[in-house]
Amino acid sequence: MLSAIAVRRAAQAALELPQPSSSKQSSPLPTPSPLSPDPNPKPKRPNPPSKRKSSSVNGKSSRNSKKAKILPGRVPATGRYFESKNMVEGGEDVIMLGSSSDSEPDAQAKLVLDSSDDSEAEEAQNPLVSTELPIYPQPPTSEPSQLSTFRPTPDLNVYELSTDEANVTGLQNETSVLSIDREETLALLGTYALTVLKGSVSILGITLSPSKIAHHVFAPRSAPIPILRCASADVHADLNTYSLPPRVKNNHDGAVVAIQSLDTDVEGLGRVCRVFDGVFEPSRWQRSSAEVIRPGVSLVTHSTRDMLPFVLPESWSIALSAAETQPSSADPIPLSVYVVKGPKKSGKSTFARTLLNRLLARFQRVAYLECDVGQSEFTPGGLVALNVIDNPVFGPPFTHPSIPYRAHYVGATSPRCSPAHYLAAVQALLETYKLEVQTSMPDDDSIDTRITDVTPLVVNTMGWTKGLGADLNAKIEELAEPTHVFEIIGPEEKGWPTAPPAYDTLCNQPAPSKALQYTLEAISPNLTNTHFNAVDQRNLNILSYFHAIFPSITSASFPSPSAPLHQMTATKWETSLPLCARYPYEVDWSQAFDQVILIGAGYEDVIPSEISNVLNGAIVGLVECEPGTEDPVYLDPSSARELPYAQARHPPAPSTSTCHGLALIRAISPSSSHMHIITPIPPAILARCRVIVKGELELPIWGMLDFTDANEGVAGVEKGRVSYLQWGKSEGLGGERRRVRRNLMRKAQM
């Protein structure tokens, strides 16, 4: 930092430089208006010594300090700070920072230096030196945008149908019919079933036409709000599948949709995870202007800081249109593989979900390979999963937990500790897709006009695009052999260089000539909800999974290579009771399980006598292995007195196993071979899982609490006496949270 004396000398030297001749005389420097002396001056009290530590410790300056660069010859502007006090005649060095108030958003901070030190009294008085500080760009504050131009008016554009009228129309239960003009937009908050009766509407980047399908839409404030727009008013005779009541006016220039309430109890997840309490209801800024369309469905007119709309960037729209282009009649239908990659917080998962919905307009089924173990779309974290989807998805990940077609348990939210197992799991799922899912026999009896004999694949890579993550993503892209690559260019992480081309890092292989490359822009930070971070979303996904209710199935209907492909998605949630009050499965581990495997850093040191303590209260993966591929720990497990655990055992091979889901081991009996397990997996699938795998994934703290206890206890136990829970600050060595630095670069990346 420059002293005030050095600043004055530098300014004086700049002023003594010869000025170029000019016909016009330079205007004199503005002189601050003198301040009239106070008739009743008050004695100045000395400031008490500060109790705070100095910002400079051990010779290191504070990270918030900024170095000012002198700009010689700059004429200071007359600011409002000079109108009340003469800074030149003062006896102190003065540093003034410009205000960043709302009334002056574009004002820049200025550093004003002056000195009248006694040791330099013989020097001539110098004018003020104005120096601009480097201002970091701040995101502009966007004005509230209008979300809905639709104004509901009873019996004009909103019609309430009774149960009898709905049955005659072809619908069920009470229904609200909305007539939307071509230029109108409609933003609905809540959970509802959307049925297109006439025309076509666009929602979340796709277009829906009249059909008998009631699309389930989940629109919480924690995700971008879907906006309904009239896409087309063309109605063909074969698409008039609904006979509207006579009192519903025929809108020739718009679309007609039916809105029904959904009884799924997904709103109860806000009681389980209090961070998301009330996300399906209007916020306090919207309650006065929101209008109730149906119970649990509200129309919102403007965006707020905690409720933002879904906006499809132009580059996304162009890429999606190119991806869904129909091939020529002479060419066969290609076997398309779409790879989506990009950094975190760039909208990668949102684009992959939109691409999935666009492809479902052409294909009856679309495969979705989830490689992002931290922010999974259809499964909780820690799983690399292959899903087969047959219906569009309208909602964030926690609203559609599913049982995957095939999956492998990594056991962590990042493959950092087991990259080899992670790549082996991805490779096994790609082989499963090529052998079992990619092609199938056409269904000639189906009335669906979509393509049935080909199933395209969407690969969602992880957002870790630096260092080891870039190498893993490049290897996945090489294994997938994509026909289309969508790369989202996001803001580079501070301190990391730009990732090299993916195809030059492994085996020096050039990029395949058949892969079409698309470069997309990242989602704008102004359209990202910052009230909920990635950890909150991940915790909600896990809790939503354990509270989900899947359709009841039998062993005969379980997906297999010989059975029809079908994705099992939860339709309801049981949130009336916490996990501590749910009825568990009582399992005899000596009869039900052949192996217990621990994966992750440090788990190889767990000795067999401590395995019951490790599993108590843990989340485990339920794995089914092919017969004869895994050696049991005990030849006769029924006579074993300890859990079938062998130290430092490798996880099951992905080529001969599959993980059907997760389970929570709520308790292990110390005197018998019984344990209590909570899992949403149906019993027909649970009976096939003979191996349990414990990784680094843990139950969120919200899942351990009892939201029904008014005294903030758990199951009637005082909160201070609950095992595994501690309120207040941790004590003792190792009680604080471990901090790990992951921003260090390798030598080759410097």
Side-chain angles (χ1 to χ4, degrees):
M1 296 296 291
L2 295 175
S3 64
I5 300 175
V7 170
R8 185 188 305 111
R9 288 177 176 175
Q12 184 178 4
L15 293 176
E16 291 177 356
L17 293 176
Q19 301 294 336
S21 59
S22 177
S23 59
K24 297 182 180 180
Q25 295 182 356
S26 60
S27 59
L29 292 176
T31 304
S33 59
L35 180 65
S36 59
D38 191 355
N40 299 320
K42 295 182 180 180
K44 185 176 180 181
R45 299 177 59 183
N47 295 330
S50 175
K51 297 181 180 181
R52 298 179 60 183
K53 294 182 179 180
S54 174
S55 60
S56 178
V57 182
N58 297 330
K60 297 180 180 180
S61 60
S62 173
R63 66 174 64 180
N64 295 328
S65 62
K66 302 180 176 63
K67 294 185 178 180
K69 184 178 180 181
I70 299 175
L71 302 178
R74 182 180 295 272
V75 179
T78 55
R80 52 180 174 149
Y81 302 107
F82 299 155
E83 297 176 357
S84 59
K85 187 175 181 180
N86 191 345
M87 298 294 182
V88 181
E89 298 178 358
E92 298 177 353
D93 296 337
V94 181
I95 299 179
M96 300 298 296
L97 293 180
S99 175
S100 59
S101 61
D102 297 336
S103 60
E104 295 180 354
D106 298 331
Q108 295 182 349
K110 294 181 180 296
L111 177 63
V112 182
L113 300 177
D114 183 40
S115 176
S116 58
D117 190 26
D118 295 338
S119 61
E120 298 292 331
E122 70 276 9
E123 296 185 5
Q125 188 176 14
N126 296 322
L128 299 178
V129 179
S130 176
T131 306
E132 294 184 2
L133 288 177
I135 301 299
Y136 293 98
Q138 299 294 333
T141 57
S142 58
E143 297 294 333
S145 60
Q146 187 174 10
L147 303 182
S148 298
T149 59
F150 178 84
R151 293 296 177 260
T153 304
D155 296 330
L156 182 61
N157 55 8
V158 177
Y159 306 91
E160 299 294 337
L161 302 186
S162 61
T163 304
D164 296 336
E165 289 180 324
N167 293 334
V168 173
T169 306
L171 303 172
Q172 296 179 355
N173 303 326
E174 297 181 356
T175 307
S176 297
V177 176
L178 308 182
S179 179
I180 308 174
D181 291 336
R182 176 175 291 274
E183 301 298 332
E184 288 182 334
T185 58
L186 179 64
L188 298 178
L189 179 68
T191 61
Y192 55 93
L194 172 66
T195 306
V196 182
L197 306 180
K198 175 184 174 296
S200 59
V201 296
S202 64
I203 178 174
L204 294 178
I206 70 170
T207 302
L208 301 178
S209 301
S211 65
K212 291 290 186 180
I213 301 176
H215 303 279
H216 292 190
V217 181
F218 299 87
R221 288 186 287 108
S222 58
I225 302 297
I227 307 297
L228 275 73
R229 291 183 176 87
C230 176
S232 174
D234 297 335
V235 180
H236 302 283
D238 55 346
L239 295 180
N240 279 331
T241 56
Y242 295 94
S243 57
L244 300 177
R247 64 189 183 93
V248 178
K249 297 181 180 180
N250 192 6
N251 189 352
H252 298 282
D253 297 331
V256 180
V257 298
I259 303 296
Q260 295 176 314
S261 301
L262 282 181
D263 184 17
T264 60
D265 201 22
V266 68
E267 300 87 354
L269 293 175
R271 297 192 300 268
V272 180
C273 186
R274 298 303 298 270
V275 179
F276 294 86
D277 190 12
V279 292
F280 288 96
E281 301 174 357
S283 61
R284 57 181 180 178
W285 297 281
Q286 291 279 359
R287 291 172 186 171
S288 59
S289 60
E291 299 188 31
V292 178
I293 301 297
R294 297 290 309 164
V297 184
S298 301
L299 183 145
V300 291
T301 57
H302 291 80
S303 63
T304 58
R305 58 185 181 182
D306 64 338
M307 185 171 60
L308 301 172
F310 174 83
V311 177
L312 190 67
E314 183 179 0
S315 61
W316 291 23
S317 180
I318 296 175
L320 292 171
S321 300
E324 65 178 357
T325 301
Q326 292 279 358
S328 60
S329 58
D331 298 335
I333 298 176
L335 303 177
S336 301
V337 177
Y338 306 87
V339 172
V340 182
K341 59 182 182 179
K344 57 184 180 180
K345 299 180 181 180
S346 62
K348 174 181 57 64
S349 299
T350 303
F351 178 82
R353 189 190 313 132
T354 307
L355 176 62
L356 170 69
N357 292 337
R358 283 285 187 98
L359 294 175
L360 284 172
R362 287 183 52 204
F363 300 90
Q364 192 176 33
R365 292 182 296 267
V366 177
Y368 189 94
L369 178 58
E370 183 60 80
C371 302
D372 192 349
V373 294
Q375 299 289 339
S376 300
E377 182 68 33
F378 297 97
T379 59
L383 286 171
V384 181
L386 176 64
N387 303 272
V388 180
I389 313 299
D390 53 8
N391 288 319
V393 178
F394 301 112
F398 76 91
T399 60
H400 44 261
S402 305
I403 297 178
Y405 180 78
R406 291 286 187 274
H408 300 291
Y409 188 56
V410 178
T413 58
S414 172
R416 182 180 292 106
C417 297
S418 55
H421 178 57
Y422 171 76
L423 286 179
V426 173
Q427 184 176 8
L429 293 178
L430 287 172
E431 294 176 355
T432 301
Y433 163 75
K434 295 176 182 178
L435 295 176
E436 303 178 9
V437 181
Q438 190 174 41
T439 57
S440 60
M441 295 299 294
D443 189 2
D444 298 332
D445 298 333
S446 176
I447 61 175
D448 197 341
T449 59
R450 296 178 296 177
I451 301 172
T452 59
D453 56 344
V454 173
T455 302
L457 174 65
V458 177
V459 181
N460 182 31
T461 60
M462 58 182 174
W464 183 19
T465 59
K466 304 297 179 181
L468 177 60
D471 297 338
L472 294 176
N473 285 338
K475 186 63 177 179
I476 292 174
E477 187 174 344
E478 177 188 352
L479 295 173
E481 299 177 354
T483 58
H484 301 73
V485 177
F486 303 93
E487 183 176 5
I488 301 179
I489 305 299
E492 296 293 337
E493 297 181 12
K494 188 176 182 180
W496 289 90
T498 304
Y503 298 99
D504 296 337
T505 57
L506 297 169
C507 303
N508 295 325
Q509 295 184 358
S513 57
K514 295 183 180 180
L516 301 177
Q517 304 285 336
Y518 299 91
T519 301
L520 311 177
E521 59 181 316
I523 202 74
S524 174
N526 298 331
L527 301 176
T528 305
N529 197 330
T530 58
H531 289 73
F532 308 95
N533 54 31
V535 178
D536 296 334
Q537 301 283 357
R538 188 182 304 122
N539 292 340
L540 184 61
N541 289 350
I542 296 176
L543 296 175
S544 174
Y545 176 81
F546 281 107
H547 285 272
I549 300 177
F550 292 99
S552 58
I553 62 171
T554 60
S555 299
S557 61
F558 179 71
S560 64
S562 59
L565 305 181
H566 183 68
Q567 182 74 12
M568 294 187 57
T569 304
T571 56
K572 291 187 177 181
W573 286 261
E574 172 58 47
T575 57
S576 60
L577 296 175
L579 295 180
C580 61
R582 297 269 299 273
Y583 286 102
Y585 292 106
E586 185 174 354
V587 180
D588 186 354
W589 52 260
S590 63
Q591 302 291 333
F593 300 124
D594 296 333
Q595 289 187 62
V596 176
I597 301 176
L598 302 184
I599 58 176
Y603 281 118
E604 65 274 3
D605 297 331
V606 177
I607 59 178
S609 60
E610 296 292 335
I611 186 63
S612 60
N613 296 329
V614 174
L615 294 180
N616 197 6
I619 290 180
V620 296
L622 302 175
V623 180
E624 176 188 1
C625 299
E626 295 181 2
T629 57
E630 294 291 332
D631 298 330
V633 177
Y634 303 124
L635 297 178
D636 186 11
S638 59
S639 61
R641 297 184 179 182
E642 294 183 353
L643 287 163
Y645 165 70
Q647 196 170 352
R649 198 180 184 102
H650 294 288
S655 58
T656 58
S657 64
T658 181
C659 179
H660 293 300
L662 303 183
L664 172 64
I665 300 180
R666 201 172 68 177
I668 298 180
S669 174
S671 58
S672 64
S673 60
H674 290 174
M675 63 171 57
H676 289 177
I677 290 181
I678 295 178
T679 179
I681 301 298
I685 303 177
L686 185 61
R688 299 181 174 215
C689 304
R690 304 284 301 178
V691 177
I692 57 176
V693 180
K694 166 73 172 68
E696 301 177 5
L697 195 66
E698 298 292 345
L699 182 68
I701 188 66
W702 297 106
M704 304 180 185
L705 304 180
D706 185 2
F707 55 84
T708 61
D709 195 337
N711 298 325
E712 298 182 355
V714 177
V717 180
E718 239 180 87
K719 66 178 185 179
R721 299 177 178 269
V722 179
S723 303
Y724 307 108
L725 293 180
Q726 181 179 4
W727 278 262
K729 188 177 180 180
S730 302
E731 298 179 358
L733 185 63
E736 295 293 338
R737 182 180 179 182
R738 185 179 63 175
R739 298 181 179 180
V740 181
R741 293 189 63 185
R742 297 193 178 101
N743 59 344
L744 302 179
M745 294 186 294
R746 300 171 184 169
K747 186 176 181 180
Q749 297 172 335
M750 298 296 291

